[in-house]
């Protein structure tokens, strides 16, 4: 059966976990985003939510069994598997993940997964101990190795009272990821298997055991790039300054505090990487001396001598063997002039200039806007959620990398 509309067709599988109630909202979010949705529930999912809810929200009968003669007559399960542009399972329980990893097809949902060529997205939801169990970790790694895209899980308080990773991501986040992925899957596909190094967050330069010089970077921009790249299949290493964010799923994170620590980590991790994306707000100066004990407020004023930190990007751009270098510039005015100056001085392949000091943009905020410059070109990325901005930036980066790889093109 083929649809006459050009809407993205999402087959939503609902497995048996308490988060199944959130999947009802997920259907709405997907449909609001323009998708056509059909729902398949496992037997256990029916213990948590009724079929009627999904039927009303999706506008189509809900399938639950391979052995429903009436439903098979209307649209056989193989037809249903072919109908889907995307398979999304939310919540994906530990049991379902294990069965998928083993290639089991003992119910309608697992049979559909084997019978479909469509990209498979999983939004895991389970107790944090079950998520941390080596068996689940192995199963997830196997599925990722087959190109399955993982969405979450999120960290936080769970229905059982535990705290930790295992909560299903919010429906709006899942819907956006799938719909974005549906639109940009091909454009990001060169990232599959590509080793990338990303830096994010601020650096803290200690003054004494309780004080430091820092800045307002939350790490959100760099983490969004890491998340989108990892979801597209890149092997992402994230060197992170002190932030209050969890590492995106599938991303290897190395925590650092100061600019010198960040430089050492970047140095160690750079080998073999195809690109380095330097989104970190590295402090340009650090105290010349770190006091061993807390400085007392004896006098009316206090002077602290600052010395220059190394410029991590500029130093590594001098290497003969260097990956594609994408720098950031945080500017308040004369954005193009300053950004192009840094592009040239630091010998970068590309620079993303964001205007900071504007409400809702740049530091700390959930959204960003930027102009990206390279030798001979530029592109604007309009104000949007940092994940959307990250996706557009990665598409631009891949285009430049492809251009640079063309024989005889040194631009
Ligand atoms: O973290 P968020 O709250 O999400 O905010 C995101 C952001 C605004 C911090 C981010 O988008 C950004 O602009 N990061 C770079 C900010 C910055 O430090 O710009 P800069 O103009 O000082 O540095 C230019 C480039 O050189 C940057 O890629 C920086 O990582 C790098 N640099 C800077 C100084 C230094 N000593 N070593 C460096 O490698």
């Amino acid at each position: 059966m083929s649809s006459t509309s050009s809407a993205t067709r999402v087959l939503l599988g609902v497995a048996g976990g308490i988060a199944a109630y959130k999947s009802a909202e997920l259907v709405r979010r997907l449909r609001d985003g323009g998708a056509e949705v059909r729902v398949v529930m496992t037997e256990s999912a029916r213990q948590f939510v009724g079929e009627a809810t999904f039927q009303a929200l999706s506008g189509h009968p809900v399938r639950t069994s391979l052995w429903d003669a009436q439903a098979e007559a209307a649209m056989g399960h193989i037809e249903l598997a072919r109908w889907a542009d995307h398979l999304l399972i939310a919540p994906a329980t530990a049991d379902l993940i294990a069965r998928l990893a083993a290639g089991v097809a003992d119910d309608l949902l697992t049979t559909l997964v084997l019978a479909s060529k469509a990209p498979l997205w999983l939004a895991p939801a389970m107790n944090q101990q079950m998520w941390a169990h080596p068996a689940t970790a192995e199963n997830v790694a196997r599925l990722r190795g087959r190109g399955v895209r993982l969405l979450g899980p999120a960290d936080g308080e769970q229905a059982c009272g535990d705290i930790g990773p295992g909560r299903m991501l919010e429906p709006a986040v899942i819907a956006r990821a799938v719909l974005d992925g549906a639109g940009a899957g091909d454009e990001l596909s060169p990232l599959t298997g590509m080793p990338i190094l990303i830096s994010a967050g601020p650096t803290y330069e200690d003054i004494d055991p309780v004080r430091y010089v820092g800045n307002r970077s939350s790490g959100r921009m760099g983490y969004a790039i890491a998340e989108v790249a990892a979801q597209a299949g890149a092997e992402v290493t994230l060197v992170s300054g002190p932030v209050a964010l969890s590492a995106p799923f599938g991303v290897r994170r190395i925590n650092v505090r100061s600019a010198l620590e960040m430089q050492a980590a970047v140095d160690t991790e750079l080998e073999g990487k195809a690109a380095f994306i330097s989104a970190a707000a590295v402090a340009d100066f650090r105290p010349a001396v770190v006091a061993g004990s807390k400085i007392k407020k004896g006098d009316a004023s206090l002077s602290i001598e600052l010395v220059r930190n190394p410029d991590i990007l500029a130093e590594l751009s001098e290497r003969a063997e260097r990956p594609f270098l994408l720098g950031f510039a945080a500017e308040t005015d004369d954005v193009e002039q300053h950004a192009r100056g840094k592009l040239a001085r630091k010998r970068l392949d590309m620079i993303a200039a964001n205007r900071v000091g504007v409400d809702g943009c740049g530091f700390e905020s959930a959204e960003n806007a930027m102009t990206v410059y390279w030798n001979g070109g530029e592109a604007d990325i309009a104000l949007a959620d940092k994940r959307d901005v990250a996706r557009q930036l990665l598409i631009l980066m891949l285009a430049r990398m492809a251009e640079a790889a063309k024989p005889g093109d040194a631009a």
Side-chain angles (χ1 to χ4, degrees):
M1 172 159 186
S2 67
S3 169
T4 48
S5 80
S6 59
T8 301
R9 292 170 301 199
V10 179
L11 185 62
L12 173 64
V14 183
I18 181 61
Y21 80 93
K22 288 190 186 174
S23 304
E25 192 193 338
L26 178 56
V27 175
R28 291 209 54 160
R29 297 289 184 151
L30 288 165
R31 292 195 71 190
D32 287 350
E36 195 180 332
V37 183
R38 292 188 181 239
V39 179
V40 170
M41 298 175 77
T42 63
E43 271 309 314
S44 333
R46 296 170 74 198
Q47 306 296 321
F48 290 93
V49 197
E51 289 157 54
T53 307
F54 287 110
Q55 176 154 336
L57 291 169
S58 68
H60 293 284
V62 171
R63 294 288 311 265
T64 57
S65 163
L66 266 172
W67 310 112
D68 180 340
Q70 209 181 344
E72 279 292 308
M75 189 195 237
H77 64 275
I78 297 295
E79 274 177 291
L80 190 54
R82 289 190 189 134
W83 169 87
D85 294 324
H86 288 268
L87 299 181
L88 166 63
I89 303 183
T93 57
D95 171 68
L96 189 86
I97 287 173
R99 288 192 290 135
L100 293 176
V104 168
D106 61 354
D107 64 4
L108 177 60
L109 183 55
T110 48
T111 302
L112 285 168
V113 169
L114 286 194
S116 176
K117 282 192 196 161
L120 173 60
W121 303 75
L122 300 181
M126 65 195 75
N127 165 267
Q128 52 88 23
Q129 201 57 54
M130 293 172 84
W131 176 251
H133 196 285
T136 306
E138 266 174 40
N139 291 331
V140 167
R142 276 169 86 182
L143 290 169
R144 277 181 62 82
R146 288 182 210 150
V148 173
R149 303 165 192 198
L150 268 289
L151 299 169
D155 221 323
E157 194 174 347
Q158 306 201 289
C160 56
D162 278 10
I163 294 176
R167 278 168 62 93
M168 190 168 97
L169 288 182
E170 289 310 311
V173 176
I174 298 174
R176 198 184 56 224
V178 173
L179 295 173
D180 283 357
D186 285 342
E187 285 165 296
L188 290 183
S189 64
L191 283 173
T192 309
M194 186 186 281
I196 293 184
L197 183 62
I198 299 171
S199 71
T203 63
Y204 285 177
E205 311 298 329
D206 288 337
I207 297 171
D208 67 15
V210 296
R211 304 182 184 93
Y212 58 83
V213 179
N215 62 64
R216 291 176 53 191
S217 169
S218 63
R220 285 167 108 165
M221 190 65 242
Y223 274 59
I225 300 170
E227 185 181 348
V228 173
Q231 244 165 43
E235 284 171 26
V236 181
T237 305
L238 179 63
V239 175
S240 175
V243 297
L245 302 171
S246 309
F249 185 79
V251 168
R252 194 172 139 251
R253 177 169 71 176
I254 296 160
N255 293 322
V256 297
R257 182 171 173 84
S258 64
L260 290 178
E261 283 179 22
M262 185 169 276
Q263 184 183 40
V266 166
D267 229 48
T268 309
E269 296 298 329
L270 198 70
E271 196 178 334
K273 300 294 185 293
F276 173 45
I277 303 174
S278 183
V282 186
D284 289 316
F285 294 91
R286 67 178 185 278
V289 178
V290 181
S293 50
K294 188 179 171 191
I295 299 171
K296 298 292 171 204
K297 49 175 181 289
D299 299 327
S301 67
L302 171 70
S303 297
I304 296 170
E305 189 194 350
L306 299 176
V307 293
R308 277 304 285 260
N309 268 328
D311 191 314
I312 303 171
L313 254 185
E315 286 190 14
L316 63 85
S317 74
E318 281 168 17
R319 296 185 185 184
E321 291 286 318
R322 44 167 266 186
F324 187 94
L325 294 180
L326 167 52
F328 272 71
E331 306 295 345
T332 50
D333 41 26
D334 296 329
V335 175
E336 171 159 12
Q337 191 193 338
H338 290 307
R340 284 209 178 272
K342 285 176 189 172
L343 180 73
R345 262 197 321 282
K346 301 195 185 204
R347 292 172 295 278
L348 306 177
D349 297 292
M350 192 174 235
I351 193 155
N354 30 213
R355 194 178 281 277
V356 291
V358 177
D359 274 354
C361 190
F363 287 117
E364 293 171 320
S365 64
E367 296 188 318
N368 205 3
M370 54 181 61
T371 306
V372 185
Y373 301 96
W374 58 91
N375 279 337
E378 65 180 79
D380 285 322
I381 300 180
L383 185 69
D385 179 272
K386 280 181 175 167
R387 278 178 44 93
D388 295 335
V389 171
R391 186 173 63 79
Q392 294 179 60
L393 180 62
L394 286 167
I395 291 169
L396 286 172
M397 182 187 88
L398 289 170
R400 291 307 303 156
M401 288 174 84
E403 197 60 35
K406 280 187 190 161
D409 186 350

